[in-house]
Amino acid sequence: MYLGKNIKFEVIKSTAMKKLFLVSGILVLSLISYSQNKGVFQYVESSAGMNYPDWESGKTELEFADIDMDGYVDILSIGDHGCPHINTAQHGIMVWFGDGAGSWSVQMTGDFGYGGIAIGDVNSDGHWDVGYGMHHNYSATDLGDQLLEVALGDGTGTNWTAWDDGLATNGEDWGLFGTDFADVDNDGDLDVGSNSFGSGSGLHVYINQGDGSWIQSYGILPGNSNMRFVFGDINKDGNADFVVTHDAGIAFFGDGTGNFTHADFNLTQYNYPMYGPDLGDVDNDGGLDLAYVQPATGGIMVWVFNDLTSLWDNFAGDLPASGDYQAVQLCDFNTDGFMDIAAFGNATLTIWSGDGNGTWTQKFNMVTSNNGDCNAFRAGGDVDRNGFPDMTLVEKEGSWPNDLNKLKCFKETTPLFSASLKAVFPRGKEVFRQGSVQFIDWLSGVPQSSTSQVKIEYSLKGNIGPWAMITWGTPNSGRYQWTIPQTISTNNCFIRYTLAEGMDTIVTLTSNAFTILGENGLQADFVADSTYVQPLSEIQFTDQSLGLITFWEWDFDNDGTVDATERNPVYAYTVPGKKTVKLTVSDGLNSHTEIKPDYITVAEYIGIHDIIKELPGLHVYPNPFSDVLAIEIYLQEAAQVTVNVIDRQGRKIKTMLDLEWLNAGTHHLTWDAKNSSFPMSSGVCFVELIAGRHKVVERVLFVNEK
């Protein structure tokens, strides 16, 4: 049951809002329905439409993505051993389009297949593209004629253009498979990595040249390997690492240029083929951790990378040390903020909830068939839009020579009582590099029939803002690809998500700050900012060598004594004049000092909580409205003000004020929508107030009563 309109929760930032929602009972209802799932894991199969085409046998790889950006999650693959056209109709890039209810319809493009797949926007045109390593490169055209390829999408999921010059040109001779995308050189575009199954092709990383050509930056030949290759930052240096199933090792750390070094350290040695692996932040420290299935025992291993010792800590806890499992996925299935783990094998699907400390509790167990080996497994996509992640897998049923693969989807069953929004990645404490590409992920619960959009913003100054736009009006698909601006660096970055669905607007933030590193590591930047205090200087730091900063010591007058110790950020009143300022940044164990000569004279030190001021106020009424809209503005101080009315596509309907100076206090405007020169139809629009460097947006519903 969906309870409907104006239900807002997740992040409620002001005391007044908290009181309002608690009094109304809406917050209590939302939190009860949302928290009931924390201890319950229930899934049902939802595979309607997946019976065509038949699958033959052999391993494969699956990915969740809203490939046509309609707000519904789809599933992609390039098939199993039968692809293309071997005992089956499988061929090429295979997209199972989801309908938001758990039913599917397939579209296939190209004559090639049997391999792995990755999803990302490699040419930054706003459409999802695919990368894939394959065994059957049988195509007579450019699309599908080499072992490793990238193909550009056009936003439909049905048209693909080869973009692959230079790939698979470094000794690969057969059987490339597991594939993933990441910006390994932090230059603002996605690069590709892949490994093979069996021996002969090894593993390879290729750098995107931005014009459809690629250059190998790292490779190992030959070596036996299995069918997984996963990028992610393990050691929190802002550079992409990867884990892989290969004779040469499991973990490899990147240096930000496309080169990698072996990083197994104390990991338990394994005999080929190790199953898995997967990456996820198990201990919530911002670095990704490792899970896989032991090949000899079928048991599950979890390892957390320890930044202080540069070794791996065993976090397997009470997870089974033996069994018939063949694949694992790390995912926060109950959205409680802690990573859980799912495992599949021998027709058994099991989930254990995690607590961030290495304790695992079995919460779900399902028998999926009479007998079935795992040939692919993926978790994370919310196919029915109830706000919780789902799973898809390929299961081999029957015995040779009559065995067949079956594609299946399992969706979480929590009823949609109210709209919801949950930040998934970044989770907090991650380290990114300025100029790099990163994925922003979220989960939202919305009615299947609704059309919802998301606005995503970032703040460099903590969870209070001010906020800068990343995207507005993006389909509510659960993932956005962000190229971090070259000009920003901070250790106090937050992302704010705003979901607009029907008459509901929901806001949530990343749970903790994450870091964006500048090119030179330590960044000491004095920024004049008149938004809060006139005049004001603000100092923010990021530090490459020390990681996340726990405190700063300031010697403002350079007399050798500490004038202030503050967590972030720090503000200070200033007066005209220049002196030397000595800045010491520390993580509690190590420190680094930087001297800024002839910069500012500090008259008085005041921390952030002493001087932060309220945002300008914006109130619009009535809401909904049918003719005249009243707009009330409140300013804490005089400012240059712009007021716009904007439609859902971001087009300006009306500019009420344009860079006009207004005094502190309350100001009133009216807008007659019926007499607007812009044709108005019933629907949502936005009133935007820009005062100085602040921006406030209110959502309003216009009802055309004609």
Side-chain angles (χ1 to χ4, degrees):
M1 178 175 65
Y2 177 62
L3 294 183
K5 300 178 180 180
N6 294 316
I7 298 176
K8 308 177 184 180
F9 62 98
E10 297 299 316
V11 170
I12 299 180
K13 293 161 59 176
S14 73
T15 302
M17 287 180 66
K18 290 178 182 177
K19 290 179 179 178
L20 173 65
F21 277 64
L22 286 170
V23 169
S24 70
I26 292 175
L27 176 63
V28 175
L29 172 62
S30 297
L31 290 180
I32 289 174
S33 65
Y34 192 62
S35 63
Q36 282 176 341
N37 185 270
K38 301 286 190 245
V40 178
F41 294 69
Q42 293 296 328
Y43 295 83
V44 296
E45 186 173 348
S46 185
S47 306
M50 288 182 168
N51 57 320
Y52 177 83
D54 288 336
W55 291 61
E56 193 203 27
S57 62
K59 302 280 187 183
T60 186
E61 194 168 44
L62 303 170
E63 286 287 355
F64 285 115
D66 182 9
I67 205 70
D68 55 353
M69 297 299 285
D70 64 351
Y72 301 128
V73 171
D74 311 309
I75 296 173
L76 285 84
S77 174
I78 63 166
D80 64 3
H81 190 272
C83 188
H85 305 293
I86 301 173
N87 301 322
T88 174
Q90 285 186 36
H91 61 96
I93 300 168
M94 307 173 70
V95 181
W96 279 264
F97 291 102
D99 67 352
S103 295
W104 311 90
S105 59
V106 69
Q107 173 73 38
M108 298 179 285
T109 308
D111 292 312
F112 56 90
Y114 185 24
I117 193 165
I119 314 294
D121 183 3
V122 298
N123 64 338
S124 302
D125 67 347
H127 300 309
W128 292 122
D129 310 313
V130 294
Y132 42 89
M134 72 182 100
H135 188 39
H136 297 159
N137 56 327
Y138 299 160
S139 176
T141 68
D142 193 15
L143 186 69
D145 65 350
Q146 57 195 57
L147 292 174
L148 178 60
E149 292 192 339
V150 171
L152 301 181
D154 66 355
T156 66
T158 60
N159 299 310
W160 304 96
T161 303
W163 213 64
D164 56 11
D165 292 346
L167 292 175
T169 57
N170 289 274
E172 305 94 329
D173 56 9
W174 68 288
L176 280 176
F177 216 90
T179 307
D180 205 3
F181 284 131
D183 188 359
V184 303
D185 55 354
N186 298 313
D187 68 343
D189 55 32
L190 290 176
D191 311 303
V192 66
S194 185
N195 72 328
S196 67
F197 68 91
S199 61
S201 291
L203 63 91
H204 304 265
V205 176
Y206 285 86
I207 300 295
N208 185 352
Q209 300 299 293
D211 59 359
S213 65
W214 306 75
I215 297 176
Q216 178 168 282
S217 66
Y218 183 78
I220 297 176
L221 283 172
N224 280 343
S225 57
N226 209 324
M227 298 164 180
R228 283 284 282 158
F229 183 107
V230 184
F231 279 121
D233 184 9
I234 298 169
N235 59 348
K236 293 189 299 184
D237 64 353
N239 299 319
D241 312 312
F242 68 81
V243 292
V244 67
T245 55
H246 192 271
D247 280 347
I250 304 170
F252 295 80
F253 286 174
D255 65 358
T257 69
N259 292 315
F260 295 85
T261 57
H262 186 235
D264 280 9
F265 306 128
N266 64 312
L267 284 178
T268 303
Q269 293 298 308
Y270 71 96
N271 296 318
Y272 166 83
M274 178 190 72
Y275 299 124
D278 197 32
L279 291 175
D281 187 0
V282 171
D283 59 347
N284 286 345
D285 71 341
L288 299 187
D289 307 307
L290 170 67
Y292 60 81
V293 176
Q294 298 258 36
T297 65
I300 301 170
M301 288 300 304
V302 177
W303 296 91
V304 168
F305 186 71
N306 189 318
D307 300 318
L308 296 178
T309 64
S310 293
L311 296 173
W312 296 87
D313 294 337
N314 188 334
F315 258 51
D318 292 330
L319 290 171
S322 62
D324 294 321
Y325 296 110
Q326 297 167 312
V328 293
Q329 288 282 280
L330 289 167
C331 181
D332 183 4
F333 288 102
N334 60 348
T335 69
D336 66 349
F338 297 106
M339 200 63 66
D340 310 311
I341 189 167
F344 178 64
N346 192 26
T348 302
L349 177 59
T350 310
I351 301 177
W352 295 263
S353 66
D355 67 351
N357 296 307
T359 300
W360 306 93
T361 305
Q362 182 174 318
K363 292 290 187 178
F364 176 77
N365 193 72
M366 171 187 280
V367 176
T368 57
S369 67
N370 292 329
N371 66 318
D373 288 336
C374 176
N375 278 338
F377 186 33
R378 179 70 79 239
D382 183 9
V383 302
D384 56 347
R385 309 206 305 181
N386 73 336
F388 294 94
D390 304 315
M391 295 174 282
T392 182
L393 56 86
V394 171
E395 181 177 25
K396 185 185 77 171
E397 297 182 4
S399 56
W400 189 89
N402 299 313
D403 54 317
L404 292 173
N405 277 348
K406 299 291 184 181
L407 175 63
K408 300 179 179 181
C409 178
F410 295 88
K411 65 181 183 182
E412 201 276 340
T413 62
T414 298
L416 183 63
F417 289 106
S418 59
S420 65
L421 183 62
K422 180 75 174 181
V424 173
F425 187 85
R427 295 162 62 90
K429 303 181 183 180
E430 296 87 357
V431 178
F432 302 139
R433 298 274 178 168
Q434 62 180 203
S436 67
V437 169
Q438 303 294 335
F439 293 112
I440 298 174
D441 296 327
W442 67 94
L443 287 167
S444 62
V446 295
Q448 295 171 10
S449 59
S450 73
T451 300
S452 52
Q453 294 179 324
V454 171
K455 177 171 67 174
I456 306 175
E457 304 161 284
Y458 70 89
S459 166
L460 302 180
K461 302 175 182 179
N463 58 10
I464 57 171
W467 300 93
M469 190 70 67
I470 296 176
T471 184
W472 189 0
T474 296
N476 182 28
S477 59
R479 167 162 284 196
Y480 182 80
Q481 183 172 305
W482 182 31
T483 301
I484 298 175
Q486 286 279 4
T487 56
I488 65 175
S489 62
T490 178
N491 73 330
N492 199 21
C493 195
F494 280 79
I495 288 178
R496 180 169 73 176
Y497 307 76
T498 302
L499 172 67
E501 187 282 312
M503 293 183 64
D504 299 323
T505 299
I506 306 172
V507 178
T508 193
L509 309 179
T510 47
S511 57
N512 290 289
F514 60 92
T515 294
I516 298 174
L517 291 178
E519 292 181 359
N520 298 320
L522 182 65
Q523 301 278 313
D525 187 17
F526 294 75
V527 181
D529 186 339
S530 62
T531 305
Y532 302 104
V533 177
Q534 278 257 11
L536 172 71
S537 286
E538 170 194 349
I539 303 176
Q540 292 189 308
F541 293 93
T542 58
D543 182 65
Q544 175 180 344
S545 60
L546 302 180
L548 291 174
I549 297 164
T550 57
F551 65 86
W552 308 332
E553 293 179 342
W554 287 13
D555 180 3
F556 289 120
D557 50 12
N558 199 26
D559 64 356
T561 61
V562 175
D563 297 321
T565 300
E566 179 74 27
R567 301 186 184 270
N568 56 352
V570 174
Y571 296 88
Y573 287 111
T574 66
V575 297
K578 294 183 178 181
K579 281 188 178 180
T580 297
V581 178
K582 180 180 179 182
L583 312 171
T584 301
V585 59
S586 173
D587 67 353
L589 297 174
N590 307 285
S591 63
H592 183 92
T593 298
E594 185 169 318
I595 296 176
K596 290 284 189 179
D598 297 329
Y599 219 91
I600 59 173
T601 297
V602 176
E604 181 183 1
Y605 164 78
I606 297 184
I608 180 174
H609 298 295
D610 298 313
I611 64 173
I612 197 72
K613 290 190 175 181
E614 294 286 340
L615 292 172
L618 174 62
H619 179 50
V620 294
Y621 59 92
N623 189 7
F625 76 108
S626 58
D627 43 29
V628 177
L629 180 69
I631 302 170
E632 182 179 286
I633 300 167
Y634 177 73
L635 302 178
Q636 292 278 353
E637 56 188 17
Q640 200 172 38
V641 173
T642 297
V643 177
N644 295 312
V645 182
I646 299 171
D647 69 7
R648 294 191 71 160
Q649 285 71 47
R651 299 173 296 183
K652 289 183 182 179
I653 300 171
K654 177 70 173 179
T655 297
M656 308 292 295
L657 297 176
D658 188 10
L659 297 176
E660 294 189 25
W661 278 98
L662 298 181
N663 294 326
T666 303
H667 305 269
H668 297 275
L669 304 170
T670 58
W671 174 52
D672 188 346
K674 284 192 173 180
N675 293 322
S676 171
S677 59
F678 190 97
M680 292 293 296
S681 57
S682 295
V684 171
C685 57
F686 302 87
V687 178
E688 173 190 65
L689 165 65
I690 303 172
R693 290 181 57 190
H694 283 305
K695 183 196 297 187
V696 181
V697 178
E698 285 293 328
R699 184 171 176 271
V700 62
L701 178 64
F702 173 69
V703 179
N704 193 334
E705 295 181 344
K706 290 182 179 180

